[in-house]
Amino acid sequence: MDETTAELNELFAAPSQQLPPEVLGELQSILRLHSISPQELFYKWESYDMKMGGEVKLALQTARDFKRDLQDVLERETRGKVHAQSAHKRSAATPRAGAVNGGVYGLLDNLTPNTPRHGVVNGSAAKRKADFETPAAKASKSHVASSPGESKTSLVGQEINGISTATVSFEDRMNAGQIVETLNDHILVPEPPIAPPPEPRIKLKANVELAKFSYKPMAMKLSEASEILDDRIDEFLSLVQSHHDLPDSAFGNAASQSTSEIVAVGRIASDSSEGKLNAASLVLETSRRTGAGLRVPLHVDAIPSYDLFPGRVVALRGTNASGDYFAVNEILSLPLLPPAASTPADLDTHNARLRSAGDSADNETERESPLTPPLNIFVASGPYTPDTDLSFSALHALLAQALETSADALILTGPFLDTEHPLLASGDFDLPATSVIPPDRATLHDVFRALISAPINDLARQLPSITIIIVPSVRDAVARHVSWPQEKLNRRELDLPKQCAVVTNPVTLSVNELVVGISSQDVLAQMRQQECVAGAAKREGVLGRLAGLLVEQRHWFPLFPPAPREVLGKDEDGEERLGTGAMVDLSYSKLGEWLNVRPDVMVLPSTLSPFAKVIDSVLAINPGTLSKRRGPGTFARLTVQPLTLTQAERDAGAVVGHDVFERARVDVVRI
C-alpha cells in the first residue's frame, strides 16, 4: 500500500477499516485531477458534507457527486477569473509605441525621419528612432522593427514575448537530406530521368463527394449531433453481430442490472470533463436505442491489456450484477474494411501510363517491364516556415527537390499561412519585393499568392507533368471554411496553376490504382494525449498502435470530445497561446468516415515523430512538419513500383489486391 492510499484510508475510512476499492479509486482520481493532497481533499469533503446537511455517508455515488461538485466550483472560479482579466484588459490604456523607451521630452527628437539627434551617439535616440517616420504600408501591431530599411519577415536573434528566437538560418542547417527512416529499403530509388515526362503519369479521381463538404459551418444543432453519435454506435453493433455471428439475445443494455453476461456496444467516455482518461474515470456511453443513452462506469481489472480513448466505439462482453458498474471480461474485435483492389484491365491501363515513351504499348510481354520507372511521390505537411520569419525557405527547397527528381506527384497539406504564426497573428511583416500589390491594401489571399502560389507556379512551368495535391487545414488563414470536415480552397482566388488539384480535408483519392487517404487534422497527437493504455498494449509502439486504431474505427477523427484547446495551446517554449483545436462539426462528421475499402496509403500529418509503418496492409505515413518552430523539419518520399500481374490472375479476371505496402519504398527525409 503506497503512502497516498494509506493517508486516504486514515482520513476517510472508519477506524481499523479500509475504503472500498471503487471509492478509493474515485478519491485518487480527484487528487490527480486537482493536484491536491489527501489532507486538503479531506477539508473539501468536510465542507461538502456541511453544505449537504452534515449527514453524507462516503460511498461510490456520494464520491462521484462530490467529484462533480468540485468540478462545478472550479469551473465557476475559472469563468470569474477570465471575466475579471478581460475587464482589466478593456480598462487598461494602450501604450503608444513612441513612449516605450523614452519620456515625453524625447518625442521631439526625431520629427524628421532618419535625422540623428545631435550630440548623442549611444543614447536613447537610437532606440527611439523612426517613431514618427512615415508609416510603412503594412499592418503593424507589435512594432518589432520600424526602420524602412529593415526586413520585418525575420525575427532571428530577437525576442517574442520575452522568449529568444535565436536559431540557425535555413542555409546553415545540419544534416540536410539525411534519411531519418526507411520502409522497404530493398527497393532502390531510381536515378532522376534525363528529361521529364512529356505528360502526366498520374490520373486522379476523388472517391468522395466533394460537393457535400460545402456545408454551412457554425450551424450545428445538438439534436443532429446526438443522432450522428447514436447512429455510429448502432452501425458498429450491426457489424459486430454479423462479424461474430451473434444472436440478438446476446446484446443488452450495460446500464441495466443483470447477472447474465451480455455484449454491450457503446462509446468510451470519461466521467469528468477535465483531466486525462484513466481506469477510474472510464464510462461506456450507450445509444438511445440500445441503452437509453445512459452512461455506466466500467471496471476493466479483468482485462490484461487495453487501449482506450474518448470516442472509441467498442464491443464489451461482461456483466452488471450490482447495477453500479459494468465489469468487462473481454473486448471483442471489430471487423475491418476490405483492402482496395482493381481489375486486371484497369491495372494494365495504369501501367501503360507509367511506361516510358520507348516501350511498346502493344507488346503483351512488356506490360510490366522492369524498365518502367516507378512513381515518385513527395508528401509534405505544414507549417512551411518557422515562427521566426516568413521566408518559406523549406517550401522552396522541397519544390527544388521535386523539380530535380522529376516528381510525378506532390502532396501538400496545410497549414500554409498558419493562424498560429506570430508574424501573421501580429500583422507585422512585409511582402516580397516582387509583389506589385500595395502592402496597405494587401489581403491574406495576396500574401498567399506572393509567398506560396508564386514558387508553386514556377515549379509547374518547369515541370508541367507534375500533379500537385493541395489539402487545407483548419489553421489556414485563407480558408473560409473554419470547421472540420473542411471544404477545399479556391484555386482561382489563390492563383494556383492547373496542375494543382485542390481537395477537401479529409479526402480519399485514387492516384492511378493507389487509394490514398489524407487528413491534415493532427488526430494522432490528440489521441496520444487522451488515451488510457494498460498491459501489453503499453509495450507496443505508440505510433503504430494509434494508426491501427484509426483503421479499426474507420474514421479520420474518431476522438470525441476532441482535446481541449488549452492543452493544445501549450507549446514547447511555455508560451500561453490558445491552440486552434480540432474544430469538428459533429453534424457532418460522417464525411470523415471511410467508405467501402481500406486505403492503400493514409497520410497522417502530426507533430509526433515522423514514421512509415504497415498497419493491417495499410501504409501509414506521418511526414512530419516541413518546418518546425525554430528550424527545418522533414518530408516523405514514396517510390512505388508498378504492379506485376501473373498469367493466372489475368485469366481469372477477378479483382486483384494492390499490395502497395510490398511494392512501395518510403523515405522520411530531412529537408
Side-chain angles (χ1 to χ4, degrees), residues 192-216:
I194 300 176
E199 58 184 18
R201 303 173 67 226
I202 281 179
K203 181 180 180 181
L204 281 183
K205 177 185 176 183
N207 295 338
V208 296
E209 297 185 42
L210 301 181
K212 288 186 176 181
F213 288 79
S214 301
Y215 63 89
K216 182 180 180 181

Side-chain angles (χ1 to χ4, degrees), residues 207-217 481 483-488 504-506 585 587-593 595:
N207 295 338
V208 296
E209 297 185 42
L210 301 181
K212 288 186 176 181
F213 288 79
S214 301
Y215 63 89
K216 182 180 180 181
H481 211 267
S483 57
W484 188 97
Q486 189 177 15
E487 187 184 12
K488 61 183 181 180
T504 59
N505 173 31
D585 192 319
S587 300
Y588 294 90
S589 63
K590 286 186 70 67
L591 295 175
E593 291 183 352
L595 298 179

Side-chain angles (χ1 to χ4, degrees), residues 554-572:
R554 310 177 175 200
H555 202 283
W556 291 110
F557 197 88
L559 190 69
F560 178 80
R565 297 179 63 192
E566 294 78 10
V567 175
L568 300 176
K570 295 179 181 178
D571 54 43
E572 58 195 20

Side-chain angles (χ1 to χ4, degrees), residues 113-192:
N114 293 328
T115 302
R117 181 181 178 184
H118 294 289
V120 178
V121 178
N122 297 319
S124 61
K127 299 180 182 179
R128 296 193 300 268
K129 72 175 184 177
D131 283 344
F132 282 84
E133 291 175 354
T134 301
K138 63 176 184 63
S140 177
K141 295 182 180 179
S142 62
H143 203 77
V144 174
S146 55
S147 297
E150 292 180 296
S151 172
K152 300 176 183 62
T153 59
S154 176
L155 294 179
V156 178
Q158 301 182 26
E159 291 189 354
I160 301 177
N161 297 332
I163 298 174
S164 175
T165 63
T167 183
V168 179
S169 64
F170 185 81
E171 291 72 16
D172 299 331
R173 67 193 184 280
M174 303 290 290
N175 303 321
Q178 178 186 13
I179 297 178
V180 178
E181 184 176 345
T182 299
L183 180 69
N184 291 335
D185 56 358
H186 63 279
I187 300 177
L188 300 180
V189 178
E191 293 293 329

